[in-house]
Amino acid sequence: MTVRAESLVHRYGDSVAVDDVTLEIPDGEFVLLAGANGSGKTTLVRHFNGLLEPDAGEVFVDGLSVPENPVAARTAVGMVFQDPRDQFVAATVGADVAFGPENLGLPREEIDKRVRDALDAVNLSGEADARVDELSGGERERAAVAGALAMRPTHLVLDEPFTGLDAPAREAVLDRLESLSESGTSVVVVTHDVRDVLELADRVVVMAGGSVVVDGTPDRTVGELAAHDVRAPCRPFPDR
Ligand code: ADP
């Protein structure tokens, strides 16, 4: 199953933010969606779970048209926004992670299991009762990922998840994303800086001016990133 955009166009008034993008992301793929500020990355991924409506073109998740199946899309595609603080709806980590499954109307037992599994998956099992406003940056990001995971998404999109994280926190988040991708969840990381994540990715997609201008494996694309304002490793990428 896949996330697929076909000839997708999004306009804000007269300005075109996503300009005829066709892109397919299969299950289990770890994709970096890179590009300068304003290149259309956030706008594109917001179409994946129906937060925006196409002005032209189509978006499908697991074969279903997103605009026609917004609830299915929202369940299948987990989104972690740029500043997770804007995403928390409850006071404690456990209550926040439970919020999504509660809204699905699941039985209490199933909700509790999902919360436990999601917190385990991001190494926050001991923090269910912690207040979300007292978490460190890295814990906050992982709590937000847990909230998305509790919905059991088949695709996970994270918008600039490493902003403000120190190296150990970034490692911890990355570890989790890698194992999710290995277990079959597609992971899309939106970023303008691929320095620490390039080697982990299966694929790099670069946007500029609303279009996809580069799409390929990390070793094939590394040389083209700087030209598109993407921070890339300064050493040549090792052959694999
Ligand atoms: P990126 O995520 O790559 O920084 P965005 O998708 O946020 O890019 O923005 C793409 C373009 O759309 C930019 O020119 C931006 O100014 C514009 N834009 C984004 N959001 C809005 C909005 N809500 N209203 C009007 N213009 C917007």
Side-chain angles (χ1 to χ4, degrees):
M1 301 307 250
T2 57
V3 176
R4 187 153 55 93
E6 276 179 19
S7 307
L8 179 67
V9 175
H10 189 92
R11 295 188 198 92
Y12 295 107
D14 290 338
S15 99
V16 181
V18 170
D19 190 1
D20 195 16
V21 166
T22 296
L23 183 70
E24 179 160 335
I25 300 168
D27 279 1
E29 198 165 63
F30 194 137
V31 182
L32 299 177
L33 179 59
N37 261 340
S39 56
K41 308 180 295 297
T42 302
T43 303
L44 174 62
V45 297
R46 286 181 170 240
H47 280 272
F48 293 167
N49 79 342
L51 291 171
L52 295 174
E53 289 240 354
D55 287 306
E58 293 183 276
V59 184
F60 299 92
V61 169
D62 301 336
L64 295 176
S65 156
V66 171
E68 287 166 21
N69 301 273
V71 176
R74 231 155 274 182
T75 311
V77 182
M79 286 267 183
V80 178
F81 296 103
Q82 217 156 9
D83 187 346
R85 271 173 294 201
D86 299 339
Q87 208 171 341
F88 294 131
V89 291
T92 65
V93 172
D96 192 79
V97 174
F99 182 79
E102 280 166 357
N103 277 341
L104 293 179
L106 299 169
R108 190 73 238 174
E109 252 171 56
E110 170 70 14
I111 294 170
D112 291 344
K113 180 174 183 336
R114 285 186 175 212
V115 172
R116 268 196 317 275
D117 289 352
L119 290 177
D120 271 354
V122 298
N123 279 1
L124 283 180
S125 322
E127 305 297 326
D129 296 327
R131 295 188 54 85
V132 292
D133 52 11
E134 288 172 0
L135 299 177
S136 69
E139 287 169 337
R140 207 152 56 215
E141 190 64 39
R142 284 183 287 143
V145 172
L149 291 183
M151 300 299 279
R152 301 271 161 93
T154 39
H155 315 276
L156 186 61
V157 179
L158 304 100
D159 198 348
E160 300 282 1
F162 309 114
T163 308
L165 299 196
D166 59 15
R170 201 164 50 223
E171 282 289 306
V173 173
L174 265 176
D175 266 6
R176 296 303 124 194
L177 298 182
E178 255 195 297
S179 50
L180 278 170
S181 140
E182 276 158 19
S183 66
T185 307
S186 59
V187 176
V188 178
V189 171
V190 176
T191 181
H192 64 282
D193 180 350
V194 302
R195 278 174 300 179
D196 299 306
V197 292
L198 192 62
E199 293 179 47
L200 299 175
D202 296 313
R203 178 178 173 195
V204 182
V205 175
V206 179
M207 291 184 74
S211 302
V212 170
V213 291
V214 174
D215 186 353
T217 59
D219 46 350
R220 282 177 177 271
T221 56
V222 64
E224 300 176 61
L225 300 177
H228 297 290
D229 279 344
V230 179
R231 288 183 161 226
C234 32
R235 283 177 292 114
F237 197 73
D239 285 340
R240 300 208 258 194

